Amino acid sequence: MRFRPETPGRSGLPGRVVRRAGLAALSVLTLCAVAVPAGASPACPPTTASTTVDQGAPAYYDSGLDPTPYMGWNTYYGTGAPTEATVVSVANFLISSGLRDAGYNYVWLDGGWTAPTPRDANGNLVADPAKFPHGLPWLVDYLHSRGLKAGIYTDAGASDGVNCAAGSLGYYGADTKQFAAWKFDAVKVDFLCGIAQKLNPQTVYTQFSAAIAQSGRRMLLNICDPVTSAWGDYPADEQAGFSYTFGPTVADSWRTDTDIAFGSPTPGEWPNVLRNMDDNEAHPEAEGPGHYNDPDFLLPMRVLPDGSDELTQVESTSQFAMWAEMGSPLIIGSDPRTLPTAMLQTLENPEILAVDQDPLAVQGVRVASSGSTDVYSKVLSGTGQRAVVLLNRGDTAAPITADFSTAGLSGTVSVRDLEARKDLGSFTGSYTATVPAHGTVMLRLHGTDYLPGQDLGAPNGSASASPALVRFDDTHALALTRAANGALAEQTLAGSTWPSTWTNLGGPTDGQILGQPAAYGSTGGRVDVFVRGTDNAAYQRTLLNGKWGGWVKLGGTLTDAPSVAFTSPNRWTLFARDGSGLVSSRTNNSGWTSSGAPNNAAIYGRPGAAVDSDGYTYLAVRAADDSVWERTQSPQGVWSDWTSLGGVVSGSPTLVSTLDRVYLFDRASDYTLWQVNHTDGAWGGWFERTEFPSNSVVGSVGAAAGANGSAWIAARGPDGLIHQTAL
């Protein structure tokens, strides 16, 4: 079941594909209109991405094998059930054609490698001796001796002799040890039998991941659980979530949709390429170094028996460019021996491959859309660097304009065509190209990162977490952040301009803190700051009469930074994520107690909190499906139920109370800042803060109440520095 609500955004940006939340304890729709308080707008922010250390992400799985997206070839589409002869032939072609040296070094045996009776009397998997006369260990050694890596296939379900002869249910430990003994480098775990057997994907994939960890060999893990209408729906009590909700915690990569094509070539796969691309693009926040959204294999120019193509050269190039833009694994699904020279040259284009392999591993996102044309932007290493793709979905050629501001760039921008591998010159404001039907123009832009507000610099040259901000008036304020060396540092505004000079405040443990600090000002210039120590306890420190006091331990077991609903130095409530992933809280005069979480499911990141002038406390969290949920506590201490505000976010929410309203800020999929307000007893709809163009905010923001209902925002920019502006 899919939903495509219309979501307001830059250049008419359409709403993301919003699918059922698959968490076992979160069987609700993340559609914006669901569970929104009466009178609230159904609008919600687009999906969000972030790659920072303080993004509020889950504890990522990392095999350590591929810090950038892996590349290679898989047998499934191009050659069918693998055989030794075919694999050896293609492996040799990968070398002779230059594909291996371009980075395509995984050779992956998909389904069909097992014997007719897949297990022996001892329960060990057996390769088909007719297909692999020398055995799999010999084949793996052959590949390794030629500078290639070997991947193998199984299913999370039990073998049924039809769909998954290599099903591993009940044998996870034995099978992973056998793959390790055969020296395989990667395992793809399908879910064909898992679906038929109504398995819980999160449960079984977590178990398989643990089995790999105990196998004695590091092996890349790719899981394949695209829960879509094409694959069938699970009963609500069987669901464990879409792959993006748990994949980053158990695997190197996870499929984000069904197969683009199938073993037998079929004409006209372009719509399926777009479908998988859109679903993959819907949750860029799940991706980062060592963990990747997987939209399925590349299908360059597979030829049908009648001589027609599944994809034309233009369409194949577009898929390749878009997969690189999204930082996807690049696994060739076609038989590379059948590809024309021009297609091979495209697949080996070093400038496009460099975009895919950029070490930041930021997934490119759509920043503009108009009918059948889209503009995508991907942040690259280095200041002012972007990869931008102009995509024409339509059936006729069309001019497409890249507005540099939507990519977060200003000033004069140099433009290079990566497909043609030539410089196009320098431009101001925008660049327009005519893009063929079903085609792309892929550009590399080099300009100046646009960073709104005043530049506060950063301690030790770079901030390593999001900042906190305290404002007394327009000429007296304080910014705090975590320095590059892990220490808390502060900068004081006394006048109209920040001095860009930071003072090291150390930390309560090891001279350091973890994550984003929380800070609040009160009468007489007092500042109270709350942090997470390296021992995972909460600490408080106070600036009083111009001097900082010592650290006071507040206890707790924190798994992310704290936030505080602060009324006065003698009345505050501290909130943090605890060891079970739920929200815990304590007041200034009581110990820690559980505040729960939406549907009692673990949250991501730092809870956001604020208290308004009437004494109501507001608490907001990022749920495991990356939507925002909130609840409110009355002055009498009574909590409301959790309510969904929708959206898909990657940073932790930030709350600030000003006048008779509460503002909530979070970052959206095109790297812009979005806001939703609570006024007159209800939450409104999300809207974009256009002061923050794409990629001008990294992680979460710090916020403080400004004059006349405004808000001051402090944000960490892509330059690693802190910037402050008023909204």
Side-chain angles (χ1 to χ4, degrees):
M1 187 182 300
R2 290 199 183 98
F3 298 88
R4 191 181 292 272
E6 289 302 310
T7 303
R10 188 185 297 277
S11 302
L13 184 66
R16 303 297 184 211
V17 178
V18 182
R19 297 172 284 186
R20 287 183 310 167
L23 299 171
L26 189 57
S27 55
V28 300
L29 298 177
T30 55
L31 189 62
C32 309
V34 174
V36 175
S41 167
C44 63
T47 56
T48 315
S50 178
T51 57
T52 65
V53 296
D54 59 335
Q55 64 181 339
Y60 284 130
Y61 174 92
D62 187 3
S63 67
L65 295 173
D66 291 276
T68 59
Y70 56 89
M71 301 167 57
W73 169 75
N74 182 286
T75 61
Y76 174 54
Y77 288 139
T79 62
T83 67
E84 179 183 295
T86 299
V87 171
V88 167
S89 176
V90 173
N92 290 336
F93 183 80
L94 292 177
I95 297 169
S96 64
S97 65
L99 285 168
R100 179 200 64 181
D101 292 342
Y104 298 91
N105 58 359
Y106 278 94
V107 175
W108 220 305
L109 281 62
D110 211 277
W113 61 267
T114 53
T117 301
R119 295 188 185 274
D120 63 19
N122 296 318
N124 298 312
L125 286 169
V126 178
D128 190 330
K131 296 176 181 177
F132 301 94
H134 292 93
L136 290 185
W138 177 90
L139 181 60
V140 172
D141 286 344
Y142 182 90
L143 296 174
H144 286 169
S145 70
R146 283 153 179 78
L148 296 165
K149 299 178 181 180
I152 198 165
Y153 169 99
T154 188
D155 193 282
S159 174
D160 64 3
V162 180
N163 290 316
C164 51
S168 289
L169 186 65
Y171 295 91
Y172 291 171
D175 288 357
T176 53
K177 288 179 180 177
Q178 187 166 6
F179 297 153
W182 286 342
K183 299 181 182 179
F184 275 96
D185 304 291
V187 184
K188 171 185 172 181
V189 186
D190 213 336
F191 210 66
L192 286 169
C193 286
I195 289 176
Q197 295 154 20
K198 305 293 185 183
L199 299 180
N200 180 306
Q202 181 171 0
T203 298
V204 296
Y205 280 131
T206 300
Q207 292 170 351
F208 200 100
S209 178
I212 283 187
Q214 299 298 318
S215 69
R217 181 177 177 82
R218 289 196 303 169
M219 292 180 284
L220 183 148
L221 176 59
N222 170 249
I223 63 175
C224 189
D225 173 39
V227 185
T228 70
S229 56
W231 282 59
D233 291 325
Y234 298 104
D237 61 352
E238 297 279 352
Q239 284 183 237
F242 292 100
S243 55
Y244 76 89
T245 65
F246 65 88
T249 68
V250 301
D252 296 86
S253 63
W254 48 94
R255 283 282 296 278
T256 55
D257 209 325
T258 187
D259 296 350
I260 288 178
F262 298 95
S264 299
T266 52
E269 296 290 359
W270 176 245
N272 292 342
V273 169
L274 294 177
R275 176 201 64 206
N276 280 38
M277 181 192 73
D278 288 340
D279 282 354
N280 192 78
E281 191 266 345
H283 286 278
E285 75 281 354
E287 180 156 322
H291 48 277
Y292 313 107
N293 285 321
D294 174 14
D296 199 18
F297 306 145
L298 297 170
L299 282 179
M301 300 185 68
R302 278 214 300 171
V303 179
L304 279 67
D306 64 2
S308 60
D309 298 319
E310 283 191 301
L311 295 177
T312 65
Q313 169 96 26
V314 169
E315 292 167 344
S316 299
T317 301
S318 294
Q319 187 195 14
F320 176 58
M322 285 306 306
W323 265 227
E325 180 76 359
M326 293 188 296
S328 306
L330 299 179
I331 300 295
I332 299 170
S334 307
D335 185 341
R337 299 170 299 180
T338 68
L339 297 179
T341 300
M343 192 71 244
L344 292 172
Q345 290 174 342
T346 296
L347 292 172
E348 295 173 5
N349 184 318
E351 299 190 34
I352 296 178
L353 290 175
V355 172
D356 181 74
Q357 297 293 300
D358 186 86
L360 289 181
V362 175
Q363 180 170 318
V365 293
R366 182 171 51 192
V367 295
S369 182
S370 178
S372 61
T373 65
D374 290 330
V375 178
Y376 284 76
S377 177
K378 176 180 171 69
V379 180
L380 302 175
S381 301
T383 59
Q385 300 281 349
R386 305 287 189 276
V388 167
V389 174
L390 313 179
L391 170 66
N392 184 359
R393 298 167 174 262
D395 297 331
T396 59
I400 304 178
T401 298
D403 184 337
F404 299 149
S405 67
T406 66
L409 297 177
S410 62
T412 301
V413 175
S414 63
V415 180
R416 180 172 175 82
D417 187 324
L418 299 186
E419 295 175 14
R421 298 176 65 180
K422 67 176 182 180
D423 292 328
L424 301 177
S426 296
F427 301 83
T428 302
S430 66
Y431 174 80
T432 301
T434 298
V435 184
H438 301 184
T440 53
V441 170
M442 191 172 195
L443 308 170
R444 187 175 185 117
L445 308 183
H446 185 198
T448 301
D449 288 312
Y450 179 80
L451 303 165
Q454 293 194 49
D455 181 356
L456 279 64
N460 303 115
S462 179
S464 57
S466 297
L469 185 65
V470 174
R471 174 191 171 277
F472 295 103
D473 56 44
D474 284 349
T475 58
H476 296 85
L478 191 77
L480 299 105
T481 192
R482 183 179 187 267
N485 63 3
L488 177 69
E490 63 93 6
Q491 181 179 152
T492 301
L493 171 69
S496 60
T497 304
W498 292 89
S500 297
T501 300
W502 292 84
T503 300
N504 189 323
L505 300 181
T509 53
D510 305 318
Q512 299 180 346
I513 66 170
L514 296 177
Q516 181 177 9
Y520 296 87
S522 48
T523 303
R526 173 174 173 145
V527 175
D528 288 273
V529 59
F530 303 83
V531 302
R532 173 190 176 195
T534 59
D535 60 352
N536 295 322
Y539 290 84
Q540 179 184 10
R541 194 175 185 183
T542 301
L543 175 67
L544 190 61
N545 297 322
K547 294 183 179 181
W548 285 100
W551 290 101
V552 177
K553 188 172 185 177
L554 302 177
T557 302
L558 281 59
T559 53
D560 209 288
S563 63
V564 180
F566 193 92
T567 301
S568 72
N570 298 315
R571 185 183 173 191
W572 47 259
T573 304
L574 184 69
F575 297 92
R577 187 180 67 180
D578 63 22
S580 62
L582 306 180
V583 181
S584 287
S585 63
R586 63 155 294 172
T587 67
N588 54 290
N589 57 11
S590 69
W592 289 89
T593 60
S594 176
S595 296
N599 295 282
N600 207 38
I603 67 166
Y604 289 161
R606 167 190 56 78
V611 59
D612 68 15
S613 57
D614 294 324
Y616 285 85
T617 297
Y618 298 80
L619 176 64
V621 298
R622 172 190 172 192
D625 68 341
D626 298 327
S627 62
V628 176
W629 289 66
E630 66 82 28
R631 68 187 308 199
T632 305
Q633 185 185 43
S634 71
Q636 293 74 36
V638 179
W639 281 102
S640 69
D641 293 334
W642 287 101
T643 301
S644 174
L645 297 181
V648 183
V649 300
S650 67
S652 298
T654 297
L655 296 177
V656 61
S657 174
T658 177
L659 291 182
D660 58 349
R661 66 201 72 169
V662 174
Y663 300 151
L664 188 157
F665 298 97
D666 222 322
R667 204 173 70 140
S669 66
D670 54 2
Y671 305 94
T672 57
L673 188 69
W674 283 60
Q675 179 179 343
V676 61
N677 298 338
H678 187 277
T679 57
D680 299 324
W683 288 97
W686 292 90
F687 58 95
E688 182 183 356
R689 297 302 321 205
T690 56
E691 301 90 341
F692 290 82
S694 180
N695 198 51
S696 59
V697 178
V698 175
S700 304
V701 299
N708 303 315
S710 65
W712 278 32
I713 297 294
R716 178 186 174 202
D719 56 359
L721 308 182
I722 304 300
H723 304 266
Q724 182 269 317
T725 191
L727 302 180

